[in-house]
Amino acid sequence: MSDTSDGPAPDRHTAFRRLHHGDRPLLLPNAWDHASAAALVRRGFAAIGTTSLGVAAAAGLPDATGAARDGTLALARGIARLPALVTVDIEGGFGDRPEEVAAVAAELDRAGVVGVNIEDGRLDGTLAPLGHQTAVIAAVKERVPRLFVNARTDTHWLAAIGGGTPPSLSTAAERIEAYVRAGADGIFVPALTDEQDIGALADDLGEIPLNILFTPGRHTYERLAELGVRRISCGSLLFRAALDHAVELAWSIGHPGARGQADQAAGLPGYAEAQSLADDFTNEVTGADLT
C-alpha cells in the first residue's frame, strides 16, 4: 500500500524531477550539516543533497555502516525546511529488510525530502545481492511512489577505492537494468570516468537520468553535459575541501611560508553572516519558488 503521509505537496516532487530533464544537467552540491546546507541554498542552488561520508565523519562515525542513521534523519528534518529541494544519501538504506528501508523513506518523505540515494556497495568490498537490492528499491517505490529514488551501483566505486582496475561497463549493466525495472528514477555510477562508457550508458538509459560523481581534473561540467549526463553530484568533495581549507588556514597563521594567509582568508563570510545562517531554519518552506 502506498504511504499516505502528509509530506510536501506533489508539485515539489515534480519540480525535482524536472531538474533532471532541463537544458543543462542538475548540479547537485552535497551538504554535511545545517550550516553548509543553508549556505548552499543562499548561493542559489535549487536542490541540494547530503553526503553520507560528510555527515558521518562530522559526527565522528564511520561511513557506510548505518551508524549515522539517526544523525542523517535529524539533519534531513532540519534542512528540508530550507527553500530548496532536498535529496538524502541513506547509504544502503539504514535497514536490512526492504520494509525497513521503505519505512526510512516514508519518514524522510513526511519530513519534506523529495529524493533518496540508495547504494548497493557494502563496507566489506562486496555488492548487495541483486535480488535483495531490487526488492529494496521496489519496496521504497511502493511505499512512497512520489519519492525520487536514485539507485547507486558501486561496481566501479569499489574498484576505485580498492586500487583495482576499473571494470568494464558490462559489469554494471545487469544491476542497472534490474534497478530500472524495480522502479528506480535515476541511476548513479560513482567512479565511472571513461567518457565513452559515460556516453554509452547515458544513451542506453534514455529518459532515465544518469548521475555521475564529479571528479576534479577528470571531468568538466560542460563535457559531462555533452555526454548526456543529467545529474552531477559533488559527493564528499565539498566536505573534504572545507576540511582542507580550514586546516591550511589555521596552519598558515603560524607558518607564514605556507599557503598565503591573506589568500586563505579572502572572501570568507563574516561572523554576522555565518551567525545568520540559523535564521534560515526558523520558518518552514511556504510558497517558495522551487521550479
Side-chain angles (χ1 to χ4, degrees):
M1 180 180 296
S2 297
D3 189 81
T4 56
S5 60
D6 56 347
D11 61 302
R12 287 173 55 79
H13 296 80
T14 299
F16 187 61
R17 292 176 187 280
R18 286 176 178 168
L19 289 176
H20 293 77
H21 298 282
D23 294 334
R24 293 168 63 78
L26 166 62
L27 175 58
L28 189 74
N30 300 82
W32 59 93
D33 61 10
H34 287 75
S36 58
L40 288 166
V41 173
R42 281 193 182 185
R43 190 65 176 86
F45 289 97
I48 58 173
T50 62
T51 160
S52 65
L53 172 63
V55 173
L61 299 170
D63 184 27
T65 64
R69 177 189 186 279
D70 292 345
T72 298
L73 296 181
L75 175 62
R77 286 191 290 270
I79 66 177
R81 303 202 307 270
L82 294 169
L85 301 165
V86 175
T87 182
V88 175
D89 184 343
I90 58 173
E91 301 180 2
F94 295 141
D96 294 326
R97 302 194 307 274
E99 58 269 29
E100 291 176 335
V101 181
V104 170
E107 181 175 349
L108 289 169
D109 177 70
R110 286 192 293 272
V113 169
V114 297
V116 292
N117 189 78
I118 307 174
E119 63 195 48
D120 62 9
R122 296 297 180 258
L123 197 61
D124 62 2
T126 64
L127 295 168
L130 183 57
H132 171 79
Q133 200 68 10
T134 54
V136 165
I137 294 168
V140 171
K141 291 303 296 184
E142 181 180 6
R143 181 75 180 270
V144 198
R146 65 187 182 179
L147 201 67
F148 190 103
V149 174
N150 199 41
R152 166 176 159 171
T153 183
D154 283 339
T155 53
H156 289 66
W157 177 254
L158 292 176
I161 64 175
T165 302
S168 65
L169 186 58
S170 61
T171 61
E174 180 184 11
R175 287 181 172 268
I176 291 170
E177 292 171 2
Y179 297 165
V180 171
R181 288 197 301 271
D185 300 286
I187 293 295
F188 185 23
V189 190
L192 180 64
T193 58
D194 182 82
E195 289 192 355
Q196 184 174 350
D197 286 346
I198 292 173
L201 181 54
D203 288 342
D204 289 345
L205 285 172
E207 291 300 306
I208 302 295
L210 173 61
N211 183 184
I212 291 295
L213 181 66
F214 184 80
T215 304
R218 187 66 184 265
H219 295 149
T220 68
Y221 177 90
E222 295 299 339
R223 181 56 180 154
L224 289 175
E226 292 172 358
L227 293 171
V229 173
R230 302 312 313 156
R231 172 164 154 177
I232 302 171
S233 295
C234 294
S236 64
L237 176 62
L238 305 184
F239 171 69
R240 291 181 286 114
L243 287 181
D244 177 73
H245 189 84
V247 170
E248 290 304 319
L249 175 55
W251 187 257
S252 72
I253 295 172
H255 300 78
R259 296 184 199 174
Q261 179 178 332
D263 292 340
Q264 287 279 314
L268 294 181
Y271 177 88
E273 181 179 349
Q275 168 78 343
S276 72
L277 290 172
D279 298 339
D280 295 356
F281 297 95
T282 57
N283 297 306
E284 299 211 2
V285 178
T286 54
D289 182 7
L290 298 172
T291 58

